[in-house]
Amino acid sequence: ETGVTQSPTHLIKTRGQQVTLRCSSQSGHNTVSWYQQALGQGPQFIFQYYREEENGRGNFPPRFSGLQFPNYSSELNVNALELDDSALYLCASSLNGQSNQPQHFGDGTRLSIL
Amino acid sequence: GQSLEQPSEVTAVEGAIVQINCTYQTSGFYGLSWYQQHDGGAPTFLSYNALDGLEETGRFSSFLSRSDSYGYLLLQELQMKDSASYFCAVYGQNFVFGPGTRLSVLP
């Protein structure tokens, strides 16, 4: 069983740039959720994709967008990067977008904005 | 809106029992989950409660009272490796994680 993998592990960008983060879900999982985690805080829900459709969105501006592919892997795109976007971005996969299903997290992408 | 509250820090000694509380406010509620996260690591799933009562999984137990919007995680026979941050998470309108409780287990 292959776990959740994220790439890249670290990334440095400057204000105003755009970034794409990638996530491969655990085999058998059709749901991917993205989270932003600032240092010392809990993960903040960005959005969830279930079978290639957005299935819920947190309180993040439209410059945060996503995509899920037919193999259930996913991308998170962030445009017009701001200093406050510096954080750990976590991807989690689960089954059928249901609350009682455990979310399996990747190790995250550490994004630093200069 | 949705919000969760947890104690920021808890300290206990090896072999002890510790309880981490979580209160929540949410529009819509499907269940309460608990996750563990070691420093530099990914959150890992511990438990899920949809109905009132206690769920036991080895040394860890989780409790939910829907009428009180309250739950807790109980860790027994604490080990050094249990030192980590613990997050409660609610699935209502969306998934919402609490701010986390940092547990330090002392020898």
Side-chain angles (χ1 to χ4, degrees):
Chain A
E1 182 178 86
T2 306
V4 178
T5 57
Q6 293 187 243
S7 62
T9 55
H10 295 84
L11 201 52
I12 299 175
K13 292 285 189 177
T14 57
R15 286 172 54 189
Q17 285 190 310
Q18 178 267 343
V19 69
T20 297
L21 310 182
R22 294 179 174 82
C23 171
S24 293
S25 59
Q26 182 167 312
S27 59
H29 286 180
N30 54 18
T31 304
V32 171
S33 303
W34 285 93
Y35 295 85
Q36 180 194 69
Q37 186 176 27
L39 201 60
Q41 297 183 22
Q44 301 294 309
F45 176 74
I46 303 175
F47 42 57
Q48 181 185 82
Y49 279 85
Y50 170 56
R51 291 186 174 180
E52 303 178 59
E53 297 287 331
E54 189 177 284
N55 186 42
R57 188 178 180 93
N59 190 27
F60 280 80
R63 60 190 184 84
F64 285 78
S65 64
L67 198 59
Q68 188 178 32
F69 300 98
N71 66 354
Y72 303 128
S73 66
S74 178
E75 287 183 354
L76 165 65
N77 299 290
V78 187
N79 294 321
L81 286 166
E82 300 177 0
L83 294 178
D84 285 348
D85 295 334
S86 293
L88 179 68
Y89 288 84
L90 294 163
C91 163
S93 74
S94 58
L95 195 56
N96 295 336
Q98 295 175 3
S99 63
N100 63 340
Q101 296 297 320
Q103 294 192 69
H104 297 258
F105 284 83
D107 290 334
T109 294
R110 174 73 61 187
L111 177 63
S112 299
I113 311 301
L114 304 179
Chain B
Q2 299 178 103
S3 66
L4 293 89
E5 290 188 7
Q6 306 177 232
S8 58
E9 293 184 18
V10 173
T11 302
V13 296
E14 270 189 302
I17 300 173
V18 72
Q19 178 174 313
I20 299 174
N21 298 320
C22 173
T23 58
Y24 59 88
Q25 287 185 315
T26 180
S27 50
F29 178 83
Y30 292 99
L32 181 72
S33 298
W34 288 91
Y35 286 80
Q36 177 193 61
Q37 186 177 30
H38 287 98
D39 286 346
T44 56
F45 173 82
L46 293 177
S47 68
Y48 175 79
N49 294 69
L51 303 175
D52 287 358
L54 192 68
E55 295 280 344
E56 297 180 71
T57 308
R59 294 189 297 116
F60 294 179
S61 303
S62 57
F63 172 82
L64 175 65
S65 169
R66 294 174 65 126
S67 60
D68 295 324
S69 298
Y70 164 76
Y72 66 72
L73 179 69
L74 190 73
L75 297 88
Q76 303 181 71
E77 301 172 17
L78 281 173
Q79 302 175 9
M80 298 292 289
K81 67 178 181 179
D82 298 328
S83 292
S85 292
Y86 292 83
F87 297 93
C88 58
V90 164
Y91 185 69
Q93 191 174 17
N94 285 313
F95 280 102
V96 180
F97 277 73
T101 298
R102 189 169 186 87
L103 171 64
S104 298
V105 179
L106 305 178

